[in-house]
Amino acid sequence: MTRSSVQGEDTDEGAADAPERAQTVRGDGDNGVDGAKDEPEGAALGAEGGTGDGTAGEPDAPRPRRRRRVLRWTAVVLAVVLAGTAGAGYLYYEHLNDNIKQDALNLGDNKVAKPTPNAAGQTPLNILVIGSDARDSEENQQLGGARETFGSTPLADVQMLVHLSADRSNMSVVSMPRDTLLEIPRCTDPDDGEVYPASEGRVMTNQSLGHGGPGCTVATWQELTGIHIDHFVMVDFAGVVSMADAVGGVPVCVDANIHSRDAGGHGSGLKLEKGTHPVKGEQALQWLRTRYGFEDGSDLARAKAQHMYLNAMVRVLRENATLSSPNRLRRLAEEATEALTVDPDLDSVKKLYDLSDELRKVKPERITMTTMPNRYVGARVEPTEDAEQLFRLVREDIALDGKDAKKKPDAEPEPPADPAAPDDEIAVQVRNGTRTDVLGTAPGRANTVTGLLVDRGFTKAVADPSVLPSEDRTVIRYPSADLEGDARRVAKSLGVPASSVKRSTDVSGVTLVVGADWREDTAYRAPESDDRTPESAEALNGADDSACMHVNPAFTWS
């Protein structure tokens, strides 16, 4: 794909002054340039410039400049939720409830089935954390410095999926780079009924927020990953400075003196000496949005710094006894609730506390932070095969730290309450779900497998060409207990394992989806599972307090 064909381009103001890779990796502008040339260091705190308008451009063509300030603060509020500090709900409960804004969960047309409960009846919990660059208040403007973009369409510049395992033993966090190219599905704004058509080709994922709200970002994630999302938490950054102060500072580490400011005035302004230091207030803000000065100057380095900050803040919130102070809790609860927009099922302090109470069950050493594996497409990125591997592990509730208890061989399932009907009386719909993020749909697979079933006596099997889902593994779904026996019988006839037979209210009858693991041949062979987290996900353990950001020598001082 050429740069001119990539939609959702934004520019990197001052890219010529950045490290070479930074010019080709992100085009960060923001969406990624830390600060404006004509602002003094103090005024640039939390500010970033660029277009961020989604326009495409040739590599050498001049680009319009429109400053957009973006703040990477989501880690702060996510840490608050993880640590359970919403427990301050006993403090003027109704007032805090009124602080919380809410929006619809999913604005897309397609729904993703909820995971099947485990043997104990537990299901995983998936929360999408969204950071918006909206500049819709005086306080946000002062922190972001984006006066010329007041009221403009916000971008979802921070996106993190938090996955809590069904048994509540571990947690996985997957960050998606904001300039990931993907297709945004059709979304309908619930407030005014406006329909946002699906994107024409691939655009940057951060544009999804402008298609009716956070519910379209949720829909976009579900379309890409196949992961059912239970909740979202969207944050604006006005309360971040006070929140960082409320917890007494978060320890961060750099391996050399750093000053995030270049000759052109670009950079967050972060200035630290080598070693570990507690940061709070606007200095914490600077850390979260620093790109110039960390490693190669790319957005991936910034995400890495955010992960370190989040892990450290979770540890502080768990260990810092001073947070037992009612005044500190009240201050933190006030700032956190004012900064949040959530789905309707999280619209009260009690609901947030109940959620955080679940999340707190996980010890830091079982928290794994990752970045979606990606490769460059011009100045943008796209998911790789490793990304699909990461998504599959989350879908199948496999711990990313590799510390799941060894699974016992699948036992023979209990006989269904309602036995299977005769083969020639079982109606089966067959769908072609062989499409992946990398490969197109394998033609004719629904017809081929339908023919196999008919040959084996399932004369009521029919191909359904109207639906083209995407499944990494072949699956057979049934809607109710009376059809479980029929679904199992179909699976057995094709050699599909019983573990791939799932109950789902998203189908009206026995439905076989031919997955990407069966793109050819007539005999089904279940793939061997590789349940290791890809190295390209750059996993960081939540208990790792030795992590230290590498400083680019061009941004050090003595």
Side-chain angles (χ1 to χ4, degrees), residues 38 74 76 181 199 213 288 308 317 419 509 522 529:
D38 55 351
T74 304
V76 179
L181 294 175
S199 61
L288 292 168
M308 289 184 184
L317 288 166
T522 55
S529 293

Side-chain angles (χ1 to χ4, degrees), residues 369-403:
M369 307 287 297
T370 63
T371 298
M372 181 197 78
N374 58 84
R375 57 173 161 251
Y376 306 134
V377 180
R380 302 290 171 254
V381 300
E382 64 182 5
T384 64
E385 294 83 354
D386 280 356
E388 174 52 34
Q389 165 76 347
L390 189 65
F391 299 152
R392 181 184 69 78
L393 296 178
V394 174
R395 282 197 302 269
E396 298 182 8
D397 196 26
I398 297 171
L400 298 187
D401 60 7
K403 296 179 181 178

Side-chain angles (χ1 to χ4, degrees), residues 151-164:
S152 62
T153 303
L155 299 172
D157 275 333
V158 179
Q159 299 176 34
M160 293 182 179
L161 180 68
V162 179
H163 171 84
L164 179 63

Side-chain angles (χ1 to χ4, degrees), residues 251-556:
V252 297
C253 176
V254 287
D255 67 0
N257 297 344
I258 182 175
H259 186 198
S260 179
R261 183 75 70 200
D262 67 8
H266 309 113
S268 69
L270 178 70
K271 191 171 185 178
L272 289 174
E273 294 182 356
K274 177 182 177 179
T276 300
H277 309 275
V279 295
K280 56 184 179 179
E282 293 191 6
Q283 195 173 46
L285 201 70
Q286 291 172 317
W287 176 274
L288 292 168
R289 40 169 300 284
T290 292
R291 181 172 68 82
Y292 285 97
F294 283 158
E295 300 187 348
D296 62 358
S298 74
D299 197 53
L300 292 178
R302 178 159 47 192
K304 187 174 179 180
Q306 292 166 9
H307 289 170
M308 289 184 184
Y309 183 96
L310 172 56
N311 283 341
M313 191 168 191
V314 170
R315 291 193 297 271
V316 168
L317 288 166
R318 284 176 174 271
E319 299 167 3
N320 191 343
T322 62
L323 287 179
S324 61
S325 161
N327 285 336
R328 281 183 176 266
L329 280 172
R330 181 175 60 191
R331 181 180 178 188
L332 191 56
E334 185 82 39
E335 300 297 344
T337 53
E338 287 183 350
L340 296 179
T341 300
V342 299
D343 64 274
D345 286 338
L346 287 180
D347 64 349
S348 71
V349 170
K350 183 182 185 304
K351 293 176 181 178
L352 285 169
Y353 176 74
D354 289 343
L355 171 63
S356 64
D357 199 40
E358 289 288 288
L359 296 169
R360 291 187 72 196
K361 295 175 183 178
V362 181
K363 296 179 179 179
E365 55 264 28
R366 295 301 312 277
I367 298 174
T368 306
M369 307 287 297
T370 63
T371 298
M372 181 197 78
N374 58 84
R375 57 173 161 251
Y376 306 134
V377 180
R380 302 290 171 254
V381 300
E382 64 182 5
T384 64
E385 294 83 354
D386 280 356
E388 174 52 34
Q389 165 76 347
L390 189 65
F391 299 152
R392 181 184 69 78
L393 296 178
V394 174
R395 282 197 302 269
E396 298 182 8
D397 196 26
I398 297 171
L400 298 187
D401 60 7
K403 296 179 181 178
D404 271 338
K406 289 187 177 180
K407 296 181 180 179
K408 298 178 180 179
D410 291 336
E412 189 67 26
E414 293 290 331
D418 194 342
D423 292 353
D424 61 359
E425 294 181 14
I426 298 177
V428 187
Q429 277 196 337
V430 183
R431 296 172 177 171
N432 188 344
T434 57
R435 175 176 56 85
T436 72
D437 294 326
V438 178
L439 300 172
T441 301
R445 293 305 294 163
N447 287 328
T448 298
V449 176
T450 299
L452 289 175
L453 287 170
V454 171
D455 289 344
R456 296 176 188 185
F458 296 87
T459 55
K460 289 189 176 181
V462 295
D464 179 8
S466 65
V467 180
L468 292 176
S470 178
E471 295 283 351
D472 63 323
R473 297 195 179 192
T474 297
V475 63
I476 299 172
R477 297 190 173 99
Y478 62 95
S480 54
D482 60 311
L483 292 178
E484 182 180 1
D486 293 357
R488 286 200 202 173
R489 173 63 192 142
V490 171
K492 187 174 182 179
S493 72
L494 294 173
V496 175
S499 59
S500 295
V501 178
K502 310 285 187 182
R503 184 169 177 172
S504 172
T505 56
D506 291 336
V507 296
S508 57
V510 177
T511 303
L512 165 63
V513 182
V514 184
D517 59 346
W518 200 9
R519 292 177 61 87
E520 56 187 18
D521 298 333
T522 55
Y524 178 75
R525 298 177 183 84
E528 294 184 6
S529 293
D530 179 3
D531 295 340
R532 294 172 297 179
T533 299
E535 290 186 9
S536 56
E538 298 187 343
L540 178 66
N541 186 271
D544 185 356
D545 60 3
S546 65
C548 204
M549 287 301 298
H550 174 62
V551 175
N552 187 312
F555 291 87
T556 193

